[in-house]
Amino acid sequence: MGFEVALDIRAELGESPVWSRQDGVLYFIDISGRRLHSFEPASGVHVAASVPEDIGCIGLRPGGGFVAGLRSGLWLLDRNGKLERKLADNPEDNASSRFNDGKIDPAGRMVLGTIDEKRVGGLANLYHYSDSDLRVLVPGITVSNGIAFSPDGQTLYYADSPKSTVWKCPYDPSTGRIGPSAVFLRTESDEGRPDGAAVDSEGCYWIALFNGGRIRRYDPDGTMMEEHFLPARCPTMIAFGGGDLRTLYVTTARVGRSEAELVKFPHSGSLFSMPVPVSGLPATLFDERS
C-alpha cells in the first residue's frame, strides 16, 4: 500500500508534523502560509490557526501548546497558536534568515536550525536552546534540515539541503554537546535534496527528499533499506502517528512549483499518509528548564 491523501489542504509550504499521543492529533505548519494546523484522523476534524510571521518548526509542550521557531526567534505558543512569550531572539539577520527545521531532544531541549534565504552559503547555523540561551551546535549551514535523534538519544542527525548531505554525530542528551560529525548519506541531484526526517523504533532514519517525490528509509549505518514514492514532487517532513505510531505522515509543498507540475500532482501541499509495519518514537515534550 502506498501513500494516500490524508488531508487535502494544498498548503504553500507544509512542514514540521508532530503527533500528540495525548490529543490523538497531528499538528503541522504552513511556513509561508503562516498557519498552524491540527488534524484529528479519527474524526476528520481539521483546524487552522493564523500565526503572525513565518513559522519554521514546532514542538509540543506539557499540558498543551507549542514551542516554535519563527522568523524573529524561539517562542512559546498556546494551544491556538497565539504567541505567549519569546524565549530567544533569532541571532541572525531576520531579513534573510528564519528558523527552519527543529526537534526536541530526549532531555526536552529544543534543537533547531536556520535557513540562509539568500543562499550565500554558510550564514545559517544549527542551535540548541539550553539554560535560557541559544547556542551554536554546528556553524556554516545554508538550509538546516534532517534533524532527528536515535532511540537512545546518543546520535544526532542533521542535514544541509543544498549540499545534499546528512551527517551524524555523537550527542550527549544530558548536556546537549556533540562530538565530531561524519557523513551519513548523500543524494544525487535527480534523487532530491534531504529535507525533514524521523527515526523509527528500530533506529532507522526516514528522510523526505524534496524535489524527488520520495521517502527513503536508511539503517543506522547509512544503507538504504526502502524507497516510497508519493503523488507530490516536494515532500518536506515525516512524522509517525496514530495510536500505535505506525502511520507515516508526510507534509508537502506547492509554493514555487510550475503549473505543469501542479497539473500532474494536483495534491501538492497536502498531507499524505501510509501505514508502515514499524512504529515510530513518541514525541518528546519541551522542557523550558533543560
Side-chain angles (χ1 to χ4, degrees):
M1 183 178 295
F3 282 104
E4 297 181 348
V5 176
L7 186 63
D8 187 9
I9 56 166
R10 310 190 188 192
E12 292 182 31
L13 184 51
E15 264 285 7
S16 196
V18 58
W19 178 260
S20 169
R21 301 186 81 171
Q22 176 181 339
D23 299 339
V25 166
L26 184 81
Y27 296 100
F28 63 100
I29 59 174
D30 183 349
I31 294 178
S32 49
R34 298 183 174 182
R35 294 286 190 275
L36 171 63
H37 293 270
S38 67
F39 172 56
E40 185 179 49
S43 66
V45 172
H46 166 237
V47 178
S50 297
V51 289
E53 58 183 273
D54 296 344
I55 177 170
C57 58
I58 56 172
L60 304 177
R61 294 166 58 190
F66 308 89
V67 59
L70 277 66
R71 179 172 292 276
S72 62
L74 186 66
W75 285 82
L76 296 180
L77 311 182
D78 69 13
R79 282 183 170 271
N80 299 314
K82 182 180 179 181
L83 275 60
E84 287 188 340
R85 179 163 55 93
K86 183 188 281 187
L87 297 177
D89 289 322
N90 178 356
E92 301 168 12
D93 182 359
N94 290 6
S96 58
S97 165
R98 62 165 172 78
F99 282 108
N100 198 46
D101 195 25
K103 289 283 180 67
I104 298 174
D105 79 2
R109 185 184 297 107
M110 189 66 169
V111 175
L112 71 171
T114 50
I115 175 174
D116 169 17
E117 293 176 317
K118 293 183 178 179
R119 303 297 199 274
V120 174
L123 299 183
N125 300 280
L126 182 66
Y127 299 89
H128 72 171
Y129 179 76
S130 182
D131 297 326
S132 302
D133 192 21
L134 278 173
R135 302 179 185 182
V136 175
L137 279 180
V138 181
I141 290 174
T142 302
V143 179
S144 181
N145 264 314
I147 300 171
F149 295 91
S150 60
D152 63 6
Q154 295 182 16
T155 298
L156 166 66
Y157 299 90
Y158 66 92
D160 192 345
S161 295
K163 294 181 180 178
S164 297
T165 303
V166 178
W167 290 268
K168 62 185 295 187
C169 60
Y171 187 81
D172 184 349
S174 65
T175 63
R177 295 175 181 171
I178 64 171
S181 298
V183 172
F184 177 64
L185 68 91
R186 285 194 174 98
T187 59
E188 301 297 327
S189 58
D190 61 343
E191 297 173 323
R193 301 187 301 273
D195 206 313
V199 170
D200 64 32
S201 59
E202 295 179 356
C204 295
Y205 182 82
W206 297 70
I207 184 79
L209 295 181
F210 191 91
N211 210 35
R214 69 193 79 188
I215 305 297
R216 284 181 174 174
R217 184 190 188 213
Y218 291 84
D219 72 13
D221 294 323
T223 300
M224 189 179 76
M225 303 173 67
E226 300 175 32
E227 183 174 66
H228 304 275
F229 291 85
L230 67 165
R233 186 71 180 165
C234 295
T236 54
M237 195 169 176
I238 302 158
F240 291 88
D244 57 2
L245 296 178
R246 292 177 186 267
T247 299
L248 192 68
Y249 288 100
V250 181
T251 49
T252 61
R254 68 186 290 114
V255 65
R257 312 315 299 173
S258 69
E259 289 186 15
E261 180 179 316
L262 294 179
V263 168
K264 184 177 181 180
F265 302 113
H267 296 291
S268 296
S270 295
L271 177 70
F272 294 84
S273 66
M274 179 179 71
V276 289
V278 61
S279 63
L281 300 171
T284 307
L285 302 181
F286 178 64
D287 184 352
E288 189 179 345
R289 301 167 299 176
S290 61

